[in-house]
Amino acid sequence: AMQAPGASLAPASSPSPAAMDVQSDGTGKTELKTEANIIVFGRALAVDLSDAIPKEMRKIKTVPHMTILFRTGGFQIEGEELKAVRRERGLYLQQEQKSCLSFTLEKWQHAHSDRIRGELADFCQHLREKFKAFCDSAVEPHVSLRPKVFKSRNEAKSMQQDAEKAIPAPLSQQYRTDGSDIRIMGNAVVLYLLDAQIIPCEVRDPHMTILFRKTGYKSGGTEIKAVIDARNEYMKDNDLTSLTFKLSRWGKCSDLIHGKLADMCHHIREKLHSMHEDARKPHVAVRRKRFARRR
């Protein structure tokens, strides 16, 4: 396997757990296994999945990996944070009485990657909770296997804007919404956040875009009903009557949304990914655009 720049690889095991035990989990998905060795990859600490992902599944040259902790400032190879996470990996496997962690892959809204489910995803969440002070952002556990192909110039631009805005910022106070005020606005299905009483807020109608599509959505159509059903499903499955969230500065006009509200947004987008074209993170505009005066 080719080593990507910035990746510190753990020694390869032979034979690999994947080669030893690839089986069906009963749902038609292939169950893979990894020793979950921790590496530094770019600006992240990640699990090296070279021992689990068959070569025929890899359509890109970078080391297959699952990001655990991402930090804008990155991590040092053989630094204290890496050592701490590796120690916790050993304790976790010992407590679970396992030498490997199983997982399955499934399609989600990002065509270039697959979402990770199973023991490996649980392990990832455990480490993120334990070492949350090391982490600036957390996307669902996943592995990139294919080249990124942008659907349009707009999607490429929004992805670039996300990267430019991914600067760590302090979190706001906690807000709360019942998540029920779902409406159509322009070409989007949005959740109004008036009940959260965000302070300070310079706009009259603060809202979070849930789904966006160039052709828009019909008022009272089956798509907005599907969004409401997905929202109700999330609330019921998580035994919630309201959704808490915090904000962090994300741009000149918008703040990034964190917490249960962002989790619900991701849940709906994954469930209704065929209705959604926008790749931007859950956010809310709270400041008015200011235009430079002409001289």
Side-chain angles (χ1 to χ4, degrees):
M2 182 177 292
Q3 181 171 336
S8 168
L9 292 181
S13 56
S14 179
S16 73
M20 289 189 290
D21 191 2
V22 177
Q23 59 188 8
S24 171
D25 64 354
T27 62
K29 297 176 184 176
T30 300
E31 185 178 82
L32 305 168
K33 289 194 175 184
T34 178
E35 292 179 353
N37 290 312
I38 311 298
I39 63 173
V40 174
F41 191 96
R43 290 181 289 175
L45 295 183
V47 169
D48 177 16
L49 296 177
S50 299
D51 63 342
I53 306 293
K55 289 185 177 180
E56 58 269 21
M57 292 177 62
R58 309 179 200 175
K59 306 302 181 185
I60 52 178
K61 294 182 179 180
T62 55
V63 175
H65 64 279
M66 176 189 73
T67 296
I68 303 168
L69 306 172
F70 173 86
R71 188 167 64 186
T72 305
F75 298 90
Q76 291 184 353
I77 294 176
E78 301 305 325
E80 291 305 312
E81 296 104 332
L82 175 62
K83 292 176 182 177
V85 174
R86 282 178 170 170
R87 282 196 297 270
E88 185 61 26
R89 166 201 173 268
L91 292 172
Y92 184 89
L93 291 176
Q94 184 178 11
Q95 183 178 353
E96 297 293 318
Q97 298 183 330
K98 294 178 180 294
S99 59
C100 299
L101 297 173
S102 63
F103 64 100
T104 58
L105 301 176
E106 66 179 30
K107 303 298 181 188
W108 64 331
Q109 73 264 37
H110 303 297
H112 69 283
S113 62
D114 286 353
R115 181 166 47 194
I116 291 171
R117 295 292 201 188
E119 293 175 349
L120 183 59
D122 295 340
F123 172 63
C124 179
Q125 299 297 353
H126 168 80
L127 291 179
R128 286 179 178 176
E129 182 62 28
K130 178 115 181 141
F131 298 105
K132 53 189 172 186
F134 297 169
C135 192
D136 290 342
S137 66
V139 182
E140 279 199 69
H142 66 283
V143 56
S144 295
L145 298 171
R146 297 168 290 276
K148 286 186 179 180
V149 178
F150 297 113
K151 296 177 184 176
S152 64
R153 293 178 65 183
N154 285 339
E155 184 175 352
K157 183 178 179 181
S158 69
M159 294 287 283
Q160 182 181 0
Q161 288 172 343
D162 268 3
E164 291 171 352
K165 293 176 181 176
I167 301 170
L171 295 178
S172 70
Q173 69 185 69
Q174 182 166 276
Y175 296 102
R176 186 181 299 272
T177 176
D178 65 11
S180 64
D181 195 358
I182 296 173
R183 314 184 197 179
I184 290 177
M185 174 186 282
N187 292 340
V189 178
V190 306
L191 171 64
Y192 272 66
L193 297 173
L194 295 168
D195 63 335
Q197 299 182 339
I198 297 170
I199 300 174
C201 183
E202 300 176 357
V203 301
R204 289 186 301 175
D205 53 354
H207 61 275
M208 175 187 74
T209 296
I210 301 173
L211 302 179
F212 174 87
R213 189 170 62 189
K214 287 182 182 178
T215 55
Y217 306 89
K218 291 183 180 179
S219 180
T222 56
E223 293 146 327
I224 192 168
K225 183 180 183 302
V227 172
I228 293 170
D229 289 344
R231 175 262 180 200
N232 293 340
E233 176 187 66
Y234 178 85
M235 301 292 282
K236 182 179 179 180
D237 289 349
N238 291 277
D239 196 24
L240 298 172
T241 56
S242 62
L243 299 160
T244 55
F245 65 98
K246 293 184 178 182
L247 302 174
S248 66
R249 184 93 178 197
W250 193 54
K252 292 181 180 179
C253 300
S254 301
D255 283 358
L256 199 63
I257 294 172
H258 308 264
K260 292 294 183 183
L261 179 58
D263 293 344
M264 185 198 73
C265 182
H266 288 306
H267 168 80
I268 295 173
R269 288 178 178 179
E270 290 160 20
K271 193 173 184 68
L272 307 176
H273 60 88
S274 63
M275 304 179 188
H276 182 58
E277 294 176 354
D278 193 6
R280 289 179 297 174
K281 298 176 183 178
H283 64 281
V284 55
V286 292
R287 292 172 290 279
R288 289 195 294 266
K289 289 184 178 179
R290 288 171 171 78
F291 300 98
R293 294 181 179 178
R294 293 183 178 178
R295 293 183 179 181

